[in-house]
């Protein structure tokens, strides 16, 4: 996926956030291709970053027993109004198809094609963003909590 960054950086402003075992390699590659690597981002900075994004990319891959759990990052991106392109793995594969564009895990070429498609087609991007916002709203605790309370009251 590191080689994919060069292709993405040629088509748009690429900002990479996050942490993990490959952080040093990602930061080095990002600098080499003209992308911006921020490292871990949280709180207000995360919210501002997501709100400024047209597309958020979540290229998760399974590593041994580690799998993507509940897709919090995808949900936050959707709530912020960004389109989401994600690997179809773990909890990401459970997102509604109208709210996410899936690519096979580890397939950098498919990722570049899908990001390019969304950037080139504002109508498709806006449809996905609207579906993502609706899904994120449906997962808000103010909506989910009251549905759970009757179950636990029995």
């Amino acid at each position: 996926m590191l080689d994919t960054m060069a292709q993405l950086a040629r088509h748009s402003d690429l900002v990479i956030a996050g942490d993990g075992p490959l952080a040093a390699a990602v930061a080095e590659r990002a600098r080499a291709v003209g992308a911006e690597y921020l490292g871990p981002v949280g709180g207000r900075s995360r919210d501002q970053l997501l709100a400024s994004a047209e597309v958020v990319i979540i290229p998760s891959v399974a590593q041994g027993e580690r799998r993507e759990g509940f897709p919090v990052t995808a949900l936050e991106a959707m709530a912020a109004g960004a389109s989401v392109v994600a690997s179809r793995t773990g909890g990401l594969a459970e997102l509604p198809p109208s709210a996410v564009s899936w690519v096979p895990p580890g397939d950098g070429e498919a990722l570049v094609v899908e990001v390019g498609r969304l950037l080139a087609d504002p109508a498709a991007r806006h449809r996905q963003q609207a579906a993502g916002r609706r899904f994120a709203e449906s997962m808000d605790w103010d909506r989910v909590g009251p549905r759970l309370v009757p179950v636990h009251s029995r």
Side-chain angles (χ1 to χ4, degrees):
M1 295 306 283
L2 295 178
D3 292 331
T4 302
M5 285 193 286
Q7 294 177 48
L8 290 169
R10 281 195 295 267
H11 297 291
S12 61
D13 294 332
L14 179 62
V15 178
I16 302 166
D19 199 10
L22 299 176
V26 170
E28 182 179 325
R29 184 70 174 140
R31 281 190 297 275
V33 301
E36 182 178 3
Y37 178 74
L38 303 176
V41 179
R44 181 173 288 157
S45 296
R46 176 207 56 228
D47 296 344
Q48 290 171 341
L49 183 63
L50 291 172
S52 71
E54 288 290 335
V55 179
V56 171
I57 303 166
I58 308 172
S60 295
V61 294
Q63 294 179 329
E65 294 297 314
R66 185 190 169 281
R67 301 280 188 273
E68 186 76 37
F70 186 80
V72 174
T73 301
L75 201 59
E76 291 170 338
M78 291 172 184
S83 288
V84 174
V85 176
S87 299
R88 191 172 196 155
T89 184
L92 293 164
E94 303 300 320
L95 293 169
S98 61
V100 63
S101 295
W102 288 303
V103 297
D107 189 338
E109 187 172 324
L111 189 139
V112 169
V113 167
E114 189 55 29
V115 169
R117 183 188 71 79
L118 284 170
L119 291 175
D121 187 346
R125 188 173 66 247
H126 294 149
R127 281 191 303 275
Q128 189 193 74
Q129 290 166 342
R133 274 192 218 95
R134 285 190 302 275
F135 178 69
E137 288 169 3
S138 78
M139 300 299 287
D140 187 278
W141 185 247
D142 289 337
R143 291 186 182 195
V144 173
R147 294 191 314 239
L148 295 177
V149 172
V151 172
H152 290 290
S153 304
R154 294 183 195 169

